Amino acid sequence: MTTKTDPAMQDLKPTVWIGKQGCTDAAVEEIVAQLKKRKTIKIKWLQNTDVDPETVAAAARAVLVEVRGRTMVLTEAAKKGKK
């Protein structure tokens, strides 16, 4: 995770919401689809939902950029062999 806040990340609107069922397989599939479209996405989750951002990032094969409260920012992982 980065410690420096990028102003562009603050302007991102959440594109995925994790509800009371938690991070389901369907939510992970949606995260992967959103990452293919946008490269960087913001995810929010409900206050009464227990979500581990690092687990979500690993399940989506993404890089966890930042976590603030109940919001995380993920970016697409770099592909091997790509320069």
Side-chain angles (χ1 to χ4, degrees):
M1 284 191 314
T2 61
T3 56
K4 185 178 177 185
T5 302
D6 185 2
M9 287 184 209
Q10 292 180 349
D11 293 338
L12 275 176
K13 301 291 183 213
T15 57
V16 178
W17 285 81
I18 297 176
K20 60 184 175 183
Q21 294 178 346
C23 191
T24 62
D25 291 338
V28 172
E29 289 174 15
E30 182 61 27
I31 290 168
V32 170
Q34 292 287 330
L35 282 169
K36 286 181 182 177
K37 289 180 187 177
R38 295 184 169 85
K39 307 296 183 210
T40 302
I41 63 170
K42 186 180 277 189
I43 303 168
K44 292 191 102 170
W45 61 91
L46 293 176
Q47 185 174 359
N48 60 350
T49 304
D50 191 25
V51 173
D52 179 24
E54 291 178 1
T55 303
V56 173
R61 294 188 183 106
V63 177
L64 181 63
V65 178
E66 184 176 25
V67 177
R68 284 193 177 190
R70 294 174 289 125
T71 305
M72 71 177 105
V73 176
L74 296 180
T75 189
E76 194 174 42
K79 302 215 187 307
K80 290 183 180 178
K82 193 176 183 181
K83 292 183 181 180

